[in-house]
Amino acid sequence: MTVTQFVIASAVLFSIGVYGVLVRRSAVMVLMSVELILNSVNINLVAFGALHDNIAGEVFALFVITVAAAEVGVGLALVLLIFRNRKNINIHEVDLMKG
Amino acid sequence: METAVFIVAAIITVLSAFGVILAKNPVHSVLMLMATLFAIAVLFVAQDAHFLAAVQIIVYAGAIVVLFLFVVMLLGVDLAENLRVEPIGGQRPLAIGATVATAVLTILLIIVAASDSSKPESGDLAGITQETGNTGVANLGRVIFTDYVWAFEIIAALLTIGVIGAVLLTRRAKQQEVEEEVVEKEGGQL
């Protein structure tokens, strides 16, 4: 069981998440792609923690999960507010602060 | 056996991650996200991170995905976006190119680094490794509440602030509602 395969799987997952963030237009879908990215980071943390026989990797993965939960809560609240004001959640149309 | 578990879980992870970003119906995306998270939990178990796998399923699949599902249902499932229209010309091919290039480059780097030294030397890790040979749940709890207790407290504060912020953002102020009603009535009378 080498660490390389876990890191490669995590890299693929990260790339898929980045593609989702770049391409999808619905704000909810962008948030879900961000979740994919955070999960790939978690795989990395756990893999290197196991490689170094260090529990810190798991601790940080736990913290990442907690921050992701907070981020989703606030992010979805913002999405709801945008929907309430504009009747859609297309992030390309939210350009009020565009310079 | 371990390799077989990894291969199956990794294939499910990647395929359902593609499902997340490619599905037209948002509900299908959410369900695919749940499949991805379950497969990642299996990957955690394969690395002896049992507590993290449980947390992954309870917090992610049990709470975050349900939250996503609630918002998708609240905003209307028929809000599926038209993927044909591109606001920025050539955005999609560019994104595919950049993503594939990043993935290939990263994987090549990983393979090169792995062939360089598959196992790190113990001398290099003197500063990093604190606990050796302990990866149990009890040790995890001990480390969180001793070495990382400040990070733990700050995370607790962050969660509280996040919840309060979410409630404040989505709450409609009562004062404002009353004022709006008054304005509407006056507008009707005039």
Side-chain angles (χ1 to χ4, degrees):
Chain A
M1 187 61 79
T2 61
V3 73
T4 314
Q5 50 193 4
F6 284 101
V7 181
I8 288 176
S10 142
V12 172
L13 196 62
F14 184 88
S15 303
I16 295 172
V18 169
Y19 176 78
V21 171
L22 287 177
V23 162
R24 296 307 295 253
R25 249 164 291 144
S26 156
V28 178
M29 295 305 304
V30 171
L31 279 176
M32 279 165 65
S33 303
V34 171
E35 291 303 305
L36 287 182
I37 294 175
L38 289 171
N39 269 289
S40 78
V41 173
N42 275 352
I43 295 177
N44 254 352
L45 284 171
V46 175
F48 282 112
L51 175 72
H52 293 179
D53 213 2
N54 191 338
I55 200 86
E58 285 183 42
V59 175
F60 275 91
L62 215 54
F63 287 160
V64 169
I65 290 177
T66 322
V67 173
E71 173 246 330
V72 165
V74 177
L76 288 178
L78 287 175
V79 170
L80 276 179
L81 263 188
I82 291 171
F83 182 78
R84 194 181 285 165
N85 286 329
R86 293 175 164 258
K87 295 299 170 230
N88 71 34
I89 49 171
N90 190 336
I91 53 174
H92 286 280
E93 288 173 17
V94 185
D95 53 1
L96 212 63
M97 293 175 76
K98 200 169 179 180
Chain B
M1 181 60 198
E2 279 186 340
T3 313
V5 169
F6 168 79
I7 289 172
V8 171
I11 287 173
I12 295 175
T13 306
V14 170
L15 286 186
S16 43
F18 271 116
V20 171
I21 58 166
L22 295 179
K24 285 210 172 64
N25 190 332
V27 177
H28 294 169
S29 284
V30 174
L31 295 178
M32 285 294 176
L33 181 67
M34 189 177 261
T36 314
L37 298 173
F38 267 93
I40 290 172
V42 173
L43 286 182
F44 286 164
V45 172
Q47 289 167 311
D48 287 332
H50 297 113
F51 179 70
L52 211 57
V55 168
Q56 174 91 358
I57 287 177
I58 293 169
V59 174
Y60 258 117
I64 292 181
V65 170
V66 171
L67 200 62
F68 271 116
L69 212 52
F70 260 107
V71 170
V72 167
M73 295 290 186
L74 200 62
L75 301 189
V77 186
D78 53 325
L79 223 70
E81 53 193 294
N82 184 3
L83 291 174
R84 299 269 165 215
V85 188
E86 293 188 20
I88 306 167
Q91 169 201 33
R92 204 144 312 206
L94 260 178
I96 292 175
T99 309
V100 171
T102 314
V104 169
L105 206 67
T106 316
I107 290 169
L108 281 180
L109 273 176
I110 292 165
I111 290 171
V112 168
S115 63
D116 244 17
S117 58
S118 58
K119 194 78 181 170
E121 290 177 24
S122 54
D124 296 343
L125 295 167
I128 304 169
T129 310
Q130 293 163 340
E131 287 77 28
T132 49
N134 294 319
T135 45
V137 179
N139 196 36
L140 184 67
R142 193 181 58 73
V143 170
I144 285 179
F145 288 108
T146 53
D147 294 352
Y148 297 98
V149 68
W150 281 112
F152 179 82
E153 299 285 354
I154 291 166
I155 287 279
L158 177 81
L159 270 180
T160 315
I161 293 167
V163 169
I164 294 172
V167 169
L168 275 179
L169 276 177
T170 47
R171 197 178 67 109
R172 238 191 263 261
K174 272 187 182 158
Q175 190 68 39
Q176 195 184 334
E177 263 178 18
V178 171
E179 279 172 9
E180 277 173 5
E181 278 174 14
V182 169
V183 169
E184 275 171 17
K185 273 182 189 169
E186 283 175 352
Q189 282 169 356
L190 287 171

PDB file of all heavy atoms in Angstrom, chain B residues 47-79:
ATOM      1  N   GLN B  47      -6.850   3.318   5.022  1.00  0.00           N
ATOM      2  CA  GLN B  47      -5.650   3.870   5.639  1.00  0.00           C
ATOM      3  C   GLN B  47      -5.732   3.875   7.161  1.00  0.00           C
ATOM      4  O   GLN B  47      -5.045   4.640   7.827  1.00  0.00           O
ATOM      5  CB  GLN B  47      -5.422   5.292   5.124  1.00  0.00           C
ATOM      6  CG  GLN B  47      -4.977   5.303   3.700  1.00  0.00           C
ATOM      7  CD  GLN B  47      -5.065   6.674   3.120  1.00  0.00           C
ATOM      8  OE1 GLN B  47      -6.072   7.345   3.235  1.00  0.00           O
ATOM      9  NE2 GLN B  47      -3.998   7.115   2.510  1.00  0.00           N
ATOM     10  N   ASP B  48      -6.626   3.048   7.699  1.00  0.00           N
ATOM     11  CA  ASP B  48      -6.773   2.901   9.148  1.00  0.00           C
ATOM     12  C   ASP B  48      -7.249   4.160   9.844  1.00  0.00           C
ATOM     13  O   ASP B  48      -7.015   4.333  11.036  1.00  0.00           O
ATOM     14  CB  ASP B  48      -5.459   2.436   9.782  1.00  0.00           C
ATOM     15  CG  ASP B  48      -5.189   0.978   9.456  1.00  0.00           C
ATOM     16  OD1 ASP B  48      -6.167   0.249   9.251  1.00  0.00           O
ATOM     17  OD2 ASP B  48      -4.015   0.577   9.399  1.00  0.00           O
ATOM     18  N   ALA B  49      -7.901   5.053   9.096  1.00  0.00           N
ATOM     19  CA  ALA B  49      -8.468   6.243   9.729  1.00  0.00           C
ATOM     20  C   ALA B  49      -9.961   6.003   9.953  1.00  0.00           C
ATOM     21  O   ALA B  49     -10.806   6.582   9.281  1.00  0.00           O
ATOM     22  CB  ALA B  49      -8.230   7.468   8.852  1.00  0.00           C
ATOM     23  N   HIS B  50     -10.277   5.128  10.909  1.00  0.00           N
ATOM     24  CA  HIS B  50     -11.665   4.689  11.067  1.00  0.00           C
ATOM     25  C   HIS B  50     -12.564   5.804  11.582  1.00  0.00           C
ATOM     26  O   HIS B  50     -13.685   5.985  11.114  1.00  0.00           O
ATOM     27  CB  HIS B  50     -11.705   3.488  12.008  1.00  0.00           C
ATOM     28  CG  HIS B  50     -10.972   2.312  11.482  1.00  0.00           C
ATOM     29  ND1 HIS B  50      -9.827   1.820  12.062  1.00  0.00           N
ATOM     30  CD2 HIS B  50     -11.185   1.555  10.392  1.00  0.00           C
ATOM     31  CE1 HIS B  50      -9.385   0.795  11.363  1.00  0.00           C
ATOM     32  NE2 HIS B  50     -10.191   0.614  10.339  1.00  0.00           N
ATOM     33  N   PHE B  51     -12.057   6.566  12.552  1.00  0.00           N
ATOM     34  CA  PHE B  51     -12.879   7.643  13.115  1.00  0.00           C
ATOM     35  C   PHE B  51     -13.210   8.667  12.037  1.00  0.00           C
ATOM     36  O   PHE B  51     -14.342   9.148  11.935  1.00  0.00           O
ATOM     37  CB  PHE B  51     -12.134   8.300  14.277  1.00  0.00           C
ATOM     38  CG  PHE B  51     -12.882   9.428  14.900  1.00  0.00           C
ATOM     39  CD1 PHE B  51     -14.021   9.180  15.647  1.00  0.00           C
ATOM     40  CD2 PHE B  51     -12.463  10.731  14.741  1.00  0.00           C
ATOM     41  CE1 PHE B  51     -14.725  10.220  16.222  1.00  0.00           C
ATOM     42  CE2 PHE B  51     -13.159  11.770  15.311  1.00  0.00           C
ATOM     43  CZ  PHE B  51     -14.291  11.520  16.053  1.00  0.00           C
ATOM     44  N   LEU B  52     -12.202   8.989  11.224  1.00  0.00           N
ATOM     45  CA  LEU B  52     -12.405   9.974  10.165  1.00  0.00           C
ATOM     46  C   LEU B  52     -13.430   9.468   9.156  1.00  0.00           C
ATOM     47  O   LEU B  52     -14.240  10.254   8.653  1.00  0.00           O
ATOM     48  CB  LEU B  52     -11.067  10.249   9.480  1.00  0.00           C
ATOM     49  CG  LEU B  52     -10.908  11.645   8.929  1.00  0.00           C
ATOM     50  CD1 LEU B  52     -11.108  12.658  10.016  1.00  0.00           C
ATOM     51  CD2 LEU B  52      -9.552  11.805   8.309  1.00  0.00           C
ATOM     52  N   ALA B  53     -13.400   8.169   8.876  1.00  0.00           N
ATOM     53  CA  ALA B  53     -14.393   7.610   7.954  1.00  0.00           C
ATOM     54  C   ALA B  53     -15.793   7.776   8.523  1.00  0.00           C
ATOM     55  O   ALA B  53     -16.728   8.164   7.810  1.00  0.00           O
ATOM     56  CB  ALA B  53     -14.082   6.144   7.694  1.00  0.00           C
ATOM     57  N   ALA B  54     -15.946   7.523   9.834  1.00  0.00           N
ATOM     58  CA  ALA B  54     -17.259   7.691  10.466  1.00  0.00           C
ATOM     59  C   ALA B  54     -17.693   9.147  10.398  1.00  0.00           C
ATOM     60  O   ALA B  54     -18.849   9.451  10.067  1.00  0.00           O
ATOM     61  CB  ALA B  54     -17.205   7.206  11.904  1.00  0.00           C
ATOM     62  N   VAL B  55     -16.757  10.063  10.711  1.00  0.00           N
ATOM     63  CA  VAL B  55     -17.088  11.489  10.663  1.00  0.00           C
ATOM     64  C   VAL B  55     -17.460  11.903   9.253  1.00  0.00           C
ATOM     65  O   VAL B  55     -18.400  12.677   9.031  1.00  0.00           O
ATOM     66  CB  VAL B  55     -15.909  12.326  11.194  1.00  0.00           C
ATOM     67  CG1 VAL B  55     -16.107  13.792  10.878  1.00  0.00           C
ATOM     68  CG2 VAL B  55     -15.755  12.127  12.672  1.00  0.00           C
ATOM     69  N   GLN B  56     -16.717  11.366   8.286  1.00  0.00           N
ATOM     70  CA  GLN B  56     -16.991  11.680   6.881  1.00  0.00           C
ATOM     71  C   GLN B  56     -18.435  11.338   6.534  1.00  0.00           C
ATOM     72  O   GLN B  56     -19.141  12.134   5.916  1.00  0.00           O
ATOM     73  CB  GLN B  56     -16.035  10.872   6.000  1.00  0.00           C
ATOM     74  CG  GLN B  56     -16.292  10.983   4.528  1.00  0.00           C
ATOM     75  CD  GLN B  56     -15.513  12.101   3.894  1.00  0.00           C
ATOM     76  OE1 GLN B  56     -14.804  12.808   4.584  1.00  0.00           O
ATOM     77  NE2 GLN B  56     -15.656  12.267   2.615  1.00  0.00           N
ATOM     78  N   ILE B  57     -18.894  10.151   6.952  1.00  0.00           N
ATOM     79  CA  ILE B  57     -20.247   9.732   6.599  1.00  0.00           C
ATOM     80  C   ILE B  57     -21.280  10.517   7.394  1.00  0.00           C
ATOM     81  O   ILE B  57     -22.281  10.985   6.850  1.00  0.00           O
ATOM     82  CB  ILE B  57     -20.392   8.209   6.819  1.00  0.00           C
ATOM     83  CG1 ILE B  57     -19.621   7.497   5.728  1.00  0.00           C
ATOM     84  CG2 ILE B  57     -21.854   7.813   6.774  1.00  0.00           C
ATOM     85  CD1 ILE B  57     -19.620   6.015   5.859  1.00  0.00           C
ATOM     86  N   ILE B  58     -21.017  10.714   8.715  1.00  0.00           N
ATOM     87  CA  ILE B  58     -22.029  11.382   9.541  1.00  0.00           C
ATOM     88  C   ILE B  58     -22.135  12.856   9.168  1.00  0.00           C
ATOM     89  O   ILE B  58     -23.225  13.383   8.944  1.00  0.00           O
ATOM     90  CB  ILE B  58     -21.682  11.219  11.041  1.00  0.00           C
ATOM     91  CG1 ILE B  58     -21.814   9.755  11.440  1.00  0.00           C
ATOM     92  CG2 ILE B  58     -22.597  12.072  11.886  1.00  0.00           C
ATOM     93  CD1 ILE B  58     -21.251   9.449  12.798  1.00  0.00           C
ATOM     94  N   VAL B  59     -20.976  13.552   9.105  1.00  0.00           N
ATOM     95  CA  VAL B  59     -21.012  15.001   8.886  1.00  0.00           C
ATOM     96  C   VAL B  59     -21.268  15.334   7.420  1.00  0.00           C
ATOM     97  O   VAL B  59     -22.138  16.146   7.098  1.00  0.00           O
ATOM     98  CB  VAL B  59     -19.702  15.650   9.374  1.00  0.00           C
ATOM     99  CG1 VAL B  59     -19.684  17.113   9.015  1.00  0.00           C
ATOM    100  CG2 VAL B  59     -19.568  15.478  10.863  1.00  0.00           C
ATOM    101  N   TYR B  60     -20.517  14.682   6.517  1.00  0.00           N
ATOM    102  CA  TYR B  60     -20.679  15.022   5.102  1.00  0.00           C
ATOM    103  C   TYR B  60     -21.975  14.448   4.538  1.00  0.00           C
ATOM    104  O   TYR B  60     -22.857  15.182   4.116  1.00  0.00           O
ATOM    105  CB  TYR B  60     -19.485  14.496   4.302  1.00  0.00           C
ATOM    106  CG  TYR B  60     -18.488  15.572   3.956  1.00  0.00           C
ATOM    107  CD1 TYR B  60     -17.192  15.532   4.422  1.00  0.00           C
ATOM    108  CD2 TYR B  60     -18.869  16.634   3.151  1.00  0.00           C
ATOM    109  CE1 TYR B  60     -16.284  16.518   4.110  1.00  0.00           C
ATOM    110  CE2 TYR B  60     -17.967  17.618   2.837  1.00  0.00           C
ATOM    111  CZ  TYR B  60     -16.679  17.552   3.311  1.00  0.00           C
ATOM    112  OH  TYR B  60     -15.781  18.522   3.007  1.00  0.00           O
ATOM    113  N   ALA B  61     -22.061  13.127   4.532  1.00  0.00           N
ATOM    114  CA  ALA B  61     -23.222  12.495   3.907  1.00  0.00           C
ATOM    115  C   ALA B  61     -24.492  12.778   4.698  1.00  0.00           C
ATOM    116  O   ALA B  61     -25.569  12.911   4.134  1.00  0.00           O
ATOM    117  CB  ALA B  61     -22.983  10.995   3.785  1.00  0.00           C
ATOM    118  N   GLY B  62     -24.358  12.890   6.019  1.00  0.00           N
ATOM    119  CA  GLY B  62     -25.554  13.054   6.845  1.00  0.00           C
ATOM    120  C   GLY B  62     -26.007  14.486   6.976  1.00  0.00           C
ATOM    121  O   GLY B  62     -27.196  14.745   7.129  1.00  0.00           O
ATOM    122  N   ALA B  63     -25.094  15.444   6.964  1.00  0.00           N
ATOM    123  CA  ALA B  63     -25.477  16.829   7.227  1.00  0.00           C
ATOM    124  C   ALA B  63     -25.288  17.717   6.010  1.00  0.00           C
ATOM    125  O   ALA B  63     -26.222  18.385   5.562  1.00  0.00           O
ATOM    126  CB  ALA B  63     -24.674  17.369   8.408  1.00  0.00           C
ATOM    127  N   ILE B  64     -24.090  17.723   5.444  1.00  0.00           N
ATOM    128  CA  ILE B  64     -23.798  18.692   4.390  1.00  0.00           C
ATOM    129  C   ILE B  64     -24.581  18.367   3.123  1.00  0.00           C
ATOM    130  O   ILE B  64     -25.186  19.247   2.499  1.00  0.00           O
ATOM    131  CB  ILE B  64     -22.278  18.718   4.114  1.00  0.00           C
ATOM    132  CG1 ILE B  64     -21.556  19.301   5.327  1.00  0.00           C
ATOM    133  CG2 ILE B  64     -21.963  19.530   2.886  1.00  0.00           C
ATOM    134  CD1 ILE B  64     -20.069  19.396   5.168  1.00  0.00           C
ATOM    135  N   VAL B  65     -24.610  17.055   2.762  1.00  0.00           N
ATOM    136  CA  VAL B  65     -25.319  16.682   1.534  1.00  0.00           C
ATOM    137  C   VAL B  65     -26.812  16.940   1.680  1.00  0.00           C
ATOM    138  O   VAL B  65     -27.474  17.387   0.733  1.00  0.00           O
ATOM    139  CB  VAL B  65     -25.027  15.202   1.194  1.00  0.00           C
ATOM    140  CG1 VAL B  65     -25.921  14.735   0.081  1.00  0.00           C
ATOM    141  CG2 VAL B  65     -23.578  15.043   0.789  1.00  0.00           C
ATOM    142  N   VAL B  66     -27.352  16.684   2.903  1.00  0.00           N
ATOM    143  CA  VAL B  66     -28.777  16.951   3.116  1.00  0.00           C
ATOM    144  C   VAL B  66     -29.058  18.448   3.004  1.00  0.00           C
ATOM    145  O   VAL B  66     -30.082  18.871   2.455  1.00  0.00           O
ATOM    146  CB  VAL B  66     -29.212  16.382   4.484  1.00  0.00           C
ATOM    147  CG1 VAL B  66     -30.610  16.837   4.821  1.00  0.00           C
ATOM    148  CG2 VAL B  66     -29.144  14.873   4.458  1.00  0.00           C
ATOM    149  N   LEU B  67     -28.118  19.266   3.492  1.00  0.00           N
ATOM    150  CA  LEU B  67     -28.258  20.720   3.361  1.00  0.00           C
ATOM    151  C   LEU B  67     -28.302  21.126   1.891  1.00  0.00           C
ATOM    152  O   LEU B  67     -29.159  21.922   1.469  1.00  0.00           O
ATOM    153  CB  LEU B  67     -27.083  21.393   4.074  1.00  0.00           C
ATOM    154  CG  LEU B  67     -27.244  22.850   4.475  1.00  0.00           C
ATOM    155  CD1 LEU B  67     -28.371  22.988   5.465  1.00  0.00           C
ATOM    156  CD2 LEU B  67     -25.962  23.350   5.093  1.00  0.00           C
ATOM    157  N   PHE B  68     -27.385  20.539   1.099  1.00  0.00           N
ATOM    158  CA  PHE B  68     -27.383  20.810  -0.343  1.00  0.00           C
ATOM    159  C   PHE B  68     -28.720  20.422  -0.953  1.00  0.00           C
ATOM    160  O   PHE B  68     -29.305  21.165  -1.745  1.00  0.00           O
ATOM    161  CB  PHE B  68     -26.264  20.017  -1.024  1.00  0.00           C
ATOM    162  CG  PHE B  68     -24.956  20.739  -1.079  1.00  0.00           C
ATOM    163  CD1 PHE B  68     -23.856  20.254  -0.423  1.00  0.00           C
ATOM    164  CD2 PHE B  68     -24.841  21.912  -1.803  1.00  0.00           C
ATOM    165  CE1 PHE B  68     -22.650  20.920  -0.476  1.00  0.00           C
ATOM    166  CE2 PHE B  68     -23.639  22.580  -1.862  1.00  0.00           C
ATOM    167  CZ  PHE B  68     -22.545  22.085  -1.196  1.00  0.00           C
ATOM    168  N   LEU B  69     -29.198  19.229  -0.561  1.00  0.00           N
ATOM    169  CA  LEU B  69     -30.450  18.719  -1.116  1.00  0.00           C
ATOM    170  C   LEU B  69     -31.603  19.657  -0.773  1.00  0.00           C
ATOM    171  O   LEU B  69     -32.448  19.976  -1.616  1.00  0.00           O
ATOM    172  CB  LEU B  69     -30.694  17.318  -0.563  1.00  0.00           C
ATOM    173  CG  LEU B  69     -31.425  16.330  -1.457  1.00  0.00           C
ATOM    174  CD1 LEU B  69     -30.769  16.265  -2.817  1.00  0.00           C
ATOM    175  CD2 LEU B  69     -31.434  14.960  -0.822  1.00  0.00           C
ATOM    176  N   PHE B  70     -31.601  20.159   0.491  1.00  0.00           N
ATOM    177  CA  PHE B  70     -32.651  21.084   0.915  1.00  0.00           C
ATOM    178  C   PHE B  70     -32.636  22.328   0.032  1.00  0.00           C
ATOM    179  O   PHE B  70     -33.681  22.773  -0.452  1.00  0.00           O
ATOM    180  CB  PHE B  70     -32.428  21.501   2.375  1.00  0.00           C
ATOM    181  CG  PHE B  70     -33.299  20.761   3.335  1.00  0.00           C
ATOM    182  CD1 PHE B  70     -32.778  19.787   4.161  1.00  0.00           C
ATOM    183  CD2 PHE B  70     -34.655  21.057   3.416  1.00  0.00           C
ATOM    184  CE1 PHE B  70     -33.584  19.105   5.039  1.00  0.00           C
ATOM    185  CE2 PHE B  70     -35.463  20.379   4.291  1.00  0.00           C
ATOM    186  CZ  PHE B  70     -34.921  19.395   5.112  1.00  0.00           C
ATOM    187  N   VAL B  71     -31.445  22.892  -0.190  1.00  0.00           N
ATOM    188  CA  VAL B  71     -31.369  24.134  -0.965  1.00  0.00           C
ATOM    189  C   VAL B  71     -31.764  23.877  -2.403  1.00  0.00           C
ATOM    190  O   VAL B  71     -32.483  24.676  -3.018  1.00  0.00           O
ATOM    191  CB  VAL B  71     -29.949  24.721  -0.863  1.00  0.00           C
ATOM    192  CG1 VAL B  71     -29.783  25.865  -1.840  1.00  0.00           C
ATOM    193  CG2 VAL B  71     -29.692  25.204   0.538  1.00  0.00           C
ATOM    194  N   VAL B  72     -31.318  22.741  -2.976  1.00  0.00           N
ATOM    195  CA  VAL B  72     -31.690  22.425  -4.362  1.00  0.00           C
ATOM    196  C   VAL B  72     -33.201  22.305  -4.486  1.00  0.00           C
ATOM    197  O   VAL B  72     -33.814  22.847  -5.417  1.00  0.00           O
ATOM    198  CB  VAL B  72     -30.990  21.126  -4.807  1.00  0.00           C
ATOM    199  CG1 VAL B  72     -31.607  20.629  -6.093  1.00  0.00           C
ATOM    200  CG2 VAL B  72     -29.507  21.362  -5.003  1.00  0.00           C
ATOM    201  N   MET B  73     -33.829  21.616  -3.517  1.00  0.00           N
ATOM    202  CA  MET B  73     -35.281  21.467  -3.566  1.00  0.00           C
ATOM    203  C   MET B  73     -35.977  22.805  -3.362  1.00  0.00           C
ATOM    204  O   MET B  73     -36.993  23.104  -3.984  1.00  0.00           O
ATOM    205  CB  MET B  73     -35.741  20.480  -2.483  1.00  0.00           C
ATOM    206  CG  MET B  73     -35.260  19.078  -2.687  1.00  0.00           C
ATOM    207  SD  MET B  73     -36.063  18.327  -4.083  1.00  0.00           S
ATOM    208  CE  MET B  73     -35.448  16.669  -3.975  1.00  0.00           C
ATOM    209  N   LEU B  74     -35.422  23.638  -2.468  1.00  0.00           N
ATOM    210  CA  LEU B  74     -36.027  24.929  -2.146  1.00  0.00           C
ATOM    211  C   LEU B  74     -35.995  25.854  -3.353  1.00  0.00           C
ATOM    212  O   LEU B  74     -36.950  26.579  -3.630  1.00  0.00           O
ATOM    213  CB  LEU B  74     -35.259  25.556  -0.976  1.00  0.00           C
ATOM    214  CG  LEU B  74     -35.959  26.629  -0.179  1.00  0.00           C
ATOM    215  CD1 LEU B  74     -37.188  26.044   0.472  1.00  0.00           C
ATOM    216  CD2 LEU B  74     -35.031  27.166   0.877  1.00  0.00           C
ATOM    217  N   LEU B  75     -34.890  25.824  -4.092  1.00  0.00           N
ATOM    218  CA  LEU B  75     -34.744  26.732  -5.225  1.00  0.00           C
ATOM    219  C   LEU B  75     -35.414  26.188  -6.474  1.00  0.00           C
ATOM    220  O   LEU B  75     -35.494  26.881  -7.481  1.00  0.00           O
ATOM    221  CB  LEU B  75     -33.256  26.973  -5.511  1.00  0.00           C
ATOM    222  CG  LEU B  75     -32.462  27.572  -4.367  1.00  0.00           C
ATOM    223  CD1 LEU B  75     -31.085  27.957  -4.847  1.00  0.00           C
ATOM    224  CD2 LEU B  75     -33.156  28.775  -3.798  1.00  0.00           C
ATOM    225  N   GLY B  76     -35.864  24.932  -6.436  1.00  0.00           N
ATOM    226  CA  GLY B  76     -36.525  24.388  -7.604  1.00  0.00           C
ATOM    227  C   GLY B  76     -35.591  23.508  -8.400  1.00  0.00           C
ATOM    228  O   GLY B  76     -34.531  23.959  -8.829  1.00  0.00           O
ATOM    229  N   VAL B  77     -35.999  22.254  -8.599  1.00  0.00           N
ATOM    230  CA  VAL B  77     -35.141  21.324  -9.327  1.00  0.00           C
ATOM    231  C   VAL B  77     -35.085  21.679 -10.802  1.00  0.00           C
ATOM    232  O   VAL B  77     -34.098  21.430 -11.483  1.00  0.00           O
ATOM    233  CB  VAL B  77     -35.672  19.885  -9.137  1.00  0.00           C
ATOM    234  CG1 VAL B  77     -34.730  18.889  -9.757  1.00  0.00           C
ATOM    235  CG2 VAL B  77     -35.869  19.594  -7.674  1.00  0.00           C
ATOM    236  N   ASP B  78     -36.168  22.319 -11.291  1.00  0.00           N
ATOM    237  CA  ASP B  78     -36.234  22.616 -12.725  1.00  0.00           C
ATOM    238  C   ASP B  78     -35.308  23.764 -13.107  1.00  0.00           C
ATOM    239  O   ASP B  78     -35.321  24.221 -14.234  1.00  0.00           O
ATOM    240  CB  ASP B  78     -37.674  22.964 -13.110  1.00  0.00           C
ATOM    241  CG  ASP B  78     -38.219  24.052 -12.219  1.00  0.00           C
ATOM    242  OD1 ASP B  78     -37.863  24.058 -11.037  1.00  0.00           O
ATOM    243  OD2 ASP B  78     -39.000  24.887 -12.691  1.00  0.00           O
ATOM    244  N   LEU B  79     -34.491  24.222 -12.166  1.00  0.00           N
ATOM    245  CA  LEU B  79     -33.583  25.323 -12.440  1.00  0.00           C
ATOM    246  C   LEU B  79     -32.317  24.836 -13.124  1.00  0.00           C
ATOM    247  O   LEU B  79     -31.277  25.481 -13.054  1.00  0.00           O
ATOM    248  CB  LEU B  79     -33.233  26.024 -11.134  1.00  0.00           C
ATOM    249  CG  LEU B  79     -33.227  27.547 -11.184  1.00  0.00           C
ATOM    250  CD1 LEU B  79     -34.645  28.057 -11.333  1.00  0.00           C
ATOM    251  CD2 LEU B  79     -32.610  28.111  -9.932  1.00  0.00           C
TER     252      LEU B  79
END
